[in-house]
Amino acid sequence: VSGRWRLGPVVRLSFLAYAAASLVCALAGGPAVFLLGRGLQGASNAFTTPLLVTMIGLLVPADQLGRALGSYASFTAAGQAFAPLVGGAAAGVDYRWAFVAVAAVALGLAALTRADVDAPAGRPRWRDLANVALARASGVAFAAQVGTTGLLLLAALVATDRFGMPPAPRGLVIAGFGVAGFLSGRWSGRGADRFGVVRAGVVSVTVLALGTAAVGVAPAPALLVAAVLLAGAAAPATRVLVNSLALQSTPSNRAGATSMALAVQFLGAALVPTVLPLYDASPTAAAAVLGAICLSGSLLAR
């Protein structure tokens, strides 16, 4: 898409589509329409996320790219942290208000999006995406997202099943992941610029993997919280790694490469619930499997 139209207008249109999809969810009178709205939200987000990363790659000098991507990851983590709290508060009144609020935010972002950002001249070719570097970036994206989504899912389950936490404390535990990421994001980017994206990213993916595995064996709530916070602090550097590898893999089609890597990342998130039967048999084993998959990302990134 970005090869035919300017990046800025495409991102703006995607935000407008997301706002419309959110209103469909808010006004849905039944599950079919509601699911349609959710699907449209996901389709719209598939445009905004990779193209925003591409815009950062175009606007920021190479020696400052890590810091910029770290800041982007920081705000992504903040959204991940506070969205459940805002959504939960809205649901306490009427869940529809959560979607109205999201629609309002999307409209605001559409208004703020720069329209003068464009991809390099020339129509990108799909065949350029068939390269080893992009496959590597996609593999790292998949593994890291399995770790992130798996940790959050397991943390919520362990907090309930093992420690009997009610919804509010459980929500705070999960929100801690995003808060830690928000606080560490900019430092993660600086570390990537100073020590190298791959070196910093390998360390962060390893920490994320260990945190995921630790959730399964946490014997006390305090240790569960510590594992979530440690993994959350490492998460932004993994995003910097994935986005940097994707941007660098295919200079002739950065938007396509980032879209491909993030599509595989979304696949990783979607497959995590398949571990639930294993969790029923052994939370420790489920956490170990998810942690091992995540750890494979550090091996691919080397």
Side-chain angles (χ1 to χ4, degrees):
V1 173
S2 61
R4 296 185 178 183
W5 298 289
R6 296 165 67 91
L7 280 174
V10 172
V11 173
R12 179 177 292 174
L13 180 61
S14 299
F15 279 131
L16 292 175
Y18 193 91
S22 300
L23 292 178
V24 170
C25 293
L27 299 175
V33 176
F34 181 81
L35 290 175
L36 173 63
R38 291 291 288 162
L40 292 174
Q41 280 184 315
S44 302
N45 187 55
F47 283 87
T48 58
T49 304
L51 295 188
L52 285 173
V53 172
T54 303
M55 290 173 70
I56 292 173
L58 292 172
L59 294 172
V60 178
D63 60 343
Q64 300 176 24
L65 183 59
R67 186 179 305 180
L69 291 175
S71 297
Y72 175 80
S74 178
F75 283 99
T76 300
Q80 189 175 33
F82 295 112
L85 299 178
V86 174
V93 180
D94 187 332
Y95 79 91
R96 298 174 188 274
W97 285 111
F99 290 99
V100 172
V102 168
V105 171
L107 289 174
L109 291 172
L112 292 172
T113 300
R114 288 182 54 172
D116 60 342
V117 181
D118 203 359
R123 185 172 180 176
R125 298 176 300 180
W126 284 103
R127 64 184 180 186
D128 291 344
L129 301 178
N131 63 76
V132 175
L134 179 55
R136 173 193 181 200
S138 299
V140 175
F142 177 88
Q145 191 60 44
V146 166
T148 299
T149 305
L151 180 139
L152 295 175
L153 176 62
L154 291 176
L157 292 173
V158 169
T160 302
D161 300 338
R162 187 176 300 167
F163 304 124
M165 288 187 184
R170 184 172 66 240
L172 289 175
V173 171
I174 303 304
F177 181 92
V179 172
F182 174 70
L183 295 176
S184 70
R186 190 165 182 82
W187 292 104
S188 298
R190 289 179 177 177
D193 286 335
R194 181 174 181 180
F195 301 109
V197 170
V198 173
R199 183 178 300 176
V202 165
V203 172
S204 67
V205 175
T206 302
V207 172
L208 178 60
L210 293 176
T212 302
V215 166
V217 297
L223 295 178
L224 174 66
V225 171
V228 171
L229 292 178
L230 183 62
T238 68
R239 295 191 181 97
V240 173
L241 173 65
V242 168
N243 291 330
S244 296
L245 291 177
L247 287 171
Q248 295 168 6
S249 69
T250 316
S252 62
N253 190 357
R254 286 183 168 186
T258 307
S259 298
M260 183 68 70
L262 294 184
V264 177
Q265 177 177 298
F266 294 149
L267 176 63
L271 292 179
V272 166
T274 61
V275 80
L276 289 177
L278 180 58
Y279 173 85
D280 289 337
S282 171
T284 300
V289 168
L290 293 173
I293 294 174
C294 183
L295 187 61
S296 69
S298 68
L299 301 177
L300 284 172
R302 294 178 189 274

